[in-house]
Structures are given as structure tokens and as C-alpha cells.
Amino acid sequence: MNKTKIIKETVNTDEATDQEQQLATELQLISMLRENTEILLRHPELLAVLEVPHESGKAVSLIERQVTVLRKKMQTQDDRLRDLMSVARDNERLAKSRHSLALSLLAAHDLDDVTRIVLDVLSNELAADHAVIKLFSDDKERIEKSCGLFVDVNDDALTVFNTMLQQKNTICGKASAAQKAFLFSDRAESIASVAVIPLIAGANLGLIGLGANNAERFKSSMGTEFLSQVGELISATLAVHLEP
């Protein structure tokens, strides 16, 4: 065997052995520190002399590094707390809106009152650029007089909502071109995100469509509990005012 090759293999073997020994030593040290967490309390001078590499490349003492880590943790906790407080404020606001809507619906005198209240509240509270109500009917005369409020329950265009109506699901996010066209007519092209609330009280009464020009306003990741609860309130009120 070539003498140079033998020397290289010996060097590589020695390096591997050194790395293994270093790893074993580090593992022993880690184990010792885990089992003797109070060692730094007994020897606080170590905090000042131990150095830890920093992202900037400059070595800092262990105590400085600990302070940095603690500050980052506190900042993360502060951010989480602010997020939770923001969610809590939003939930409180929505609860008040729901309560106010319920009182207003109870005071509604007729169907016109109901639709006006619903569109005003949802547009303002949910920052929708467009809000519509489509009520299903098989009364041709009512449909002709409704100016877009009533739609033919047998209209083939409604098939694009079949799954949602069958599953009684409120949806948020993107809608198909056919869905947007049915709900928003000539305004459909400007709408980037939607929320659609089914109106169901024993039977399918209709749909509420909320449209926004901002694609981030109504996202599929949004919770729909508030919208679903509002839909139930509105459906119960409509069921009364839609009675012949």
C-alpha cells in the first residue's frame, strides 16, 4: 500500500477518534449540567466568563446571552398577549353587534324592515363593499315585483349553491364566477372575496352574499361561527315575515 495513503488514512482515523471523544465529552457535560442545574448558582462567576457565539459573530458572556434570550421570549409573549387581546376585543364587538341585530329584528314591522336592517348591519359591521339578500320563491308575481330580492327557486343558476345549502355551511373566501354573478350581477368582476350565508329555517329561504374588493377581507381561514349565528337569527325572523 502506498505510504502516503497509509498516512492519510491514519490522520483521518485520528480525526474521527478525536471527534468521537469530543462528542462523548460534550454529552457527559450536558448530562452533568442537566442533573446539576444549580451549579451556576453555586458558581455565579461562570456566568461572566462563559462565552456564547452571537448572530453578529461577536462572542458574549453567558449571562448576556441569557438576557437576550429572555428578552426575545418576553417579546414573543407580549405579541401573543396583544393578539389574544385583539381577538377578545373583536369577539366582544361581534357579540354586541349580534345582540343589537337581534333587538332590531325583533322590532322589525315587515319584510322591508328586515332586509334594510340586515344589509345595514352586515355592511357596516363586517366592512363589506357589497351586501345582498336573495330570497327563494315560486311566486312569479312576487319575483317580478321584488326588484331582485326574490329569485325563482327553480332557477338553474342556483345549482352552484346546492352543496352549501345541503350542508348548511357558511363559506368565506373565493367564489366561482357563476356564484358571484348570481349574487352581485354586474358588480361581480370587482369582487375579490366573499362570504355567503345560507338562510334556512325548516326550508331553504335564501342566501346572503357579502362581497369585498379586497381579497384578504373574507378568507377561507376565517371563523364562520358569528356569520352562522347571524344567519340563524335572520332566518328565524324571515320565516315569520315570509308567511302568507
Side-chain angles (χ1 to χ4, degrees), residues 1-60:
M1 182 180 293
N2 187 287
K3 187 175 181 179
T4 303
K5 185 176 181 181
I6 294 174
I7 293 173
K8 287 183 178 179
E9 288 180 351
T10 302
V11 171
N12 291 336
T13 302
D14 290 342
E15 289 178 351
T17 301
D18 289 342
Q19 290 175 352
E20 290 174 356
Q21 290 177 346
Q22 182 180 353
L23 178 59
T25 301
E26 289 176 354
L27 291 174
Q28 287 178 343
L29 180 58
I30 292 171
S31 177
M32 184 188 68
L33 289 174
R34 287 183 181 277
E35 294 173 2
N36 299 274
T37 54
E38 74 286 354
I39 190 170
L40 293 178
L41 294 175
R42 296 199 303 268
H43 301 280
E45 70 278 4
L46 292 175
L47 293 173
V49 298
L50 289 175
E51 293 186 343
V52 182
H54 192 267
E55 288 89 344
S56 64
K58 178 182 177 182
V60 297

Side-chain angles (χ1 to χ4, degrees), residues 86-96 98:
S86 177
V87 170
R89 284 192 293 267
D90 284 343
N91 287 340
E92 182 180 7
R93 179 181 59 81
L94 292 176
K96 288 180 179 178
R98 185 170 56 241

Side-chain angles (χ1 to χ4, degrees), residues 189-219:
E189 290 187 3
S190 65
I191 294 173
S193 62
V194 302
V196 184
I197 307 170
L199 299 173
I200 301 170
N204 292 332
L205 303 180
L207 298 164
I208 292 177
L210 304 173
N213 300 332
N214 184 347
E216 297 298 310
R217 180 63 196 92
F218 298 111
K219 298 187 293 186

